[in-house]
Each structure stands twice: as structure tokens, then as C-alpha cells.
Amino acid sequence: MKFSRRNFSRRKFVLTVGAAAGASMVPLGHLQGQASSNVLLMVFLRGGADGLQMLVPGSGHARAMYEERRNPAGTSGSIVIPPSSGSDPNRGIQLGSSRFDVNPAFAPLVSGAGNPFDAGHLGFVPGTAGARENRSHFQQMDLIETGTDVTGAVLGSGYLQRAIESMGLASAPLASLSLNAEIPLMLRGASSQGLAIANFDTFGQLGNEVFDAPANRGLTDRLRTAFSANPCTSLFCQGATKGIGAVEAVDALPTRSPGRGMAGALVELARLIAADTDDRFRVCTLDVGGWDTHTDQANRFR
């Protein structure tokens, strides 16, 4: 699923949603050579999302194969999405004039006045996957995030961070940003890594209930006190310097409110991108978990 570029005031971004079971990488050409006002947002459905519960054949021979293989004779329960042409209340929604149906949960995105699909802001790319087929969604996630097709020997860096490094933005604090508590593999590089900010309002503030220091003393003050060596040569000192730059960059952003869940994080990020006059954001990622459905699929997919 892929959103096209969309204006937020003066900024633009490309949003790509990837499911580990069937996602493809965004070509690095989408980053290199782009105007500085463009932002790439990668939303990763962490786990083994079932693509055939999202986009399914709506008619013809492909539909017959889909129904046969999703609900084999002699099995209990069905994980088939009823065709849009039928009367089942849980039937799929026909995707425009195509022969594909989408899960009825996509209704706000593909139906109704001014929906993103009809407006040209949303597209679906079926049948995509990594360069190597395998039955492990853990390995598939590694292949996608590192940008390699070598099974069992993935790279130690992520393809998005390598793109940032090739653009000369490795030292820019907000150029590669994760909206989660941890930095994903796709934002880890050989000489730099992205920044993880789960909540912009609390980033850089460390509560202290043990040591003799102000409870809300800023992270930058603590880092400057702990790493005041000149020149700054150690890895710890260099890391502290980058940390100071990151906190100062976030502090310079306009007033923001903490995001709540996926929707809150995306709204918060859109506001920051729209208000950012210095083009600091280039690549942002958001991981959304809970996509593994190993058991009781017939009931969990209803």
C-alpha cells in the first residue's frame, strides 16, 4: 500500500506501508535527487501480516483459486473475505474499477466522498515481496530492512540509513527519525544511525529520584557536564555530542503535543513537517506491531 506525495503546507512526503510477509523496499531513487522539501515516511507492519486479508481477487479465475486455497475442503472455519458482488455483510469493497477487493476495514480509505483512494493519494501494489522467498517473517523483515537478497547473511546496516549517509546527512540530527522507542534496523548505518523519539514532549528530559540533581534537568546539561573533553575523540564523547544536537533540534521545533498510538504519532509528525522551515526531516519510520496471527485466524480476522 502506498500513498503518493501530498502537500502539508509547503512540505511533501511519500508514505509507504510495508507488511513483512509481502513488502518491497522503497527504491533509493525516491530519496536521492529529491528536492529538500520532500519527506519519506515508512510505516512498517511488524510481524507476518497476511496480505490476502487486505487485498484479494474479486472475480474470475483468480477468485476461484483464492477461495479454494483459503478454505480447503475438510477444514473448519473460513478466512475468506466474501466478494464485493455478494450480499454478505462482511463482504469486501471493490477497489475502483479493478478486479480486486479490499478488506471492509479499509472503508474510510477507499469509499465515501473525498476518500484518499479516489483522490489519488492511495494506491495498492499487489504481489510484491523480497528478492528471496522464504517462510520466515523474521528473515523477511531482515531482508527488507537491510536491502539485501542474501539469505542468512544480511547486512549490518539498513538501506534507508545508507541512503541518508550517501546524501551527506549522517550528522543531521533529525534527518532519519524513528517514531518508536527503538531504532529499527533500516535506520542503522555503518557510520551513523537514526534517532528514536517516541514522544517529542518528553524527549531530552530525564526524571531523577535518586541522585542529587534537579528532577527535570535537561539531557543536554547532563551530557555537557559528563563529556566536556576538548577535543572530543572517544566514541562516548562523539555520541554525547550527537545527543546534544538531537535534543537541541527537537527543542527548536514548534509547540507540539504528545502523540497517542499510530494515529496520534502520524498527526504529530504531519504538524511538525508542515511547520519545519529548515527542512530537517527527510526519512521517518513508524513500526506498528501485532500482525502475527498464528492461531484462531478465522475468529481473529472477523
Side-chain angles (χ1 to χ4, degrees):
M1 181 168 61
K2 183 175 180 180
F3 279 83
S4 64
R5 296 175 195 165
R6 184 177 183 181
N7 286 317
F8 279 94
S9 297
R10 53 181 295 279
R11 304 301 300 279
K12 296 179 180 179
F13 76 83
V14 178
L15 169 61
T16 297
V17 180
S24 60
M25 298 176 297
V26 179
L28 299 188
H30 279 277
L31 298 177
Q32 297 174 337
Q34 292 285 341
S36 60
S37 62
N38 288 347
V39 181
L40 174 71
L41 171 59
M42 176 71 174
V43 179
F44 202 90
L45 308 183
R46 187 66 60 175
D50 188 343
L52 288 177
Q53 280 296 316
M54 299 180 183
L55 183 70
V56 303
S59 61
H61 179 64
R63 177 70 199 189
M65 291 181 60
Y66 163 76
E67 293 189 0
E68 177 185 354
R69 298 186 182 187
R70 296 290 281 187
N71 190 22
T75 60
S76 60
S78 174
I79 55 175
V80 171
I81 295 178
S84 58
S85 57
S87 58
D88 192 297
N90 296 317
R91 63 186 180 275
I93 301 173
Q94 184 176 4
L95 192 60
S97 59
S98 73
R99 294 185 178 181
F100 286 98
D101 291 345
V102 292
N103 192 299
F106 279 100
L109 298 177
V110 300
S111 60
N115 69 80
F117 180 77
D118 289 343
H121 299 313
L122 169 65
F124 293 80
V125 184
T128 59
R132 297 276 182 173
E133 293 184 2
N134 61 77
R135 298 181 64 85
S136 167
H137 65 265
F138 296 106
Q139 188 175 77
Q140 189 69 16
M141 285 190 291
D142 286 344
L143 294 174
I144 292 170
E145 292 195 81
T146 59
T148 180
D149 63 352
V150 183
T151 303
V154 298
L155 298 176
S157 61
Y159 82 103
L160 288 179
Q161 190 63 21
R162 294 199 301 272
I164 286 293
E165 293 173 354
S166 70
M167 296 165 66
L169 297 172
S171 61
L174 299 180
S176 52
L177 171 69
S178 169
L179 299 180
N180 297 89
E182 297 182 0
I183 300 171
L185 178 55
M186 67 182 77
L187 289 186
R188 298 176 190 172
S191 60
S192 66
Q193 65 178 5
L195 179 68
I197 303 180
N199 189 315
F200 283 91
D201 277 357
T202 60
F203 182 74
Q205 295 296 322
L206 298 177
N208 194 324
E209 301 176 357
V210 179
F211 300 103
D212 184 17
N216 292 320
R217 185 179 176 190
L219 178 60
T220 51
D221 292 338
R222 298 184 180 196
L223 290 176
R224 287 192 181 98
T225 300
F227 300 96
S228 58
N230 190 14
C232 184
T233 56
S234 71
L235 292 177
F236 289 107
C237 187
Q238 293 174 3
T241 301
K242 289 184 178 180
I244 292 173
V247 174
E248 291 176 340
V250 171
D251 287 343
L253 295 173
T255 302
R256 64 262 173 198
S257 59
R260 292 292 182 267
M262 177 180 177
L266 294 179
V267 169
E268 181 179 28
L269 179 63
R271 289 173 178 168
L272 292 174
I273 290 174
D276 179 21
T277 59
D278 297 322
D279 295 342
R280 284 168 286 197
F281 296 99
R282 297 306 304 274
V283 174
C284 302
T285 68
L286 174 63
D287 280 7
V288 182
W291 292 89
D292 285 346
T293 54
H294 297 283
T295 60
D296 198 24
Q297 288 184 324
N299 290 319
R300 295 183 66 178
F301 285 159
R302 287 196 179 112

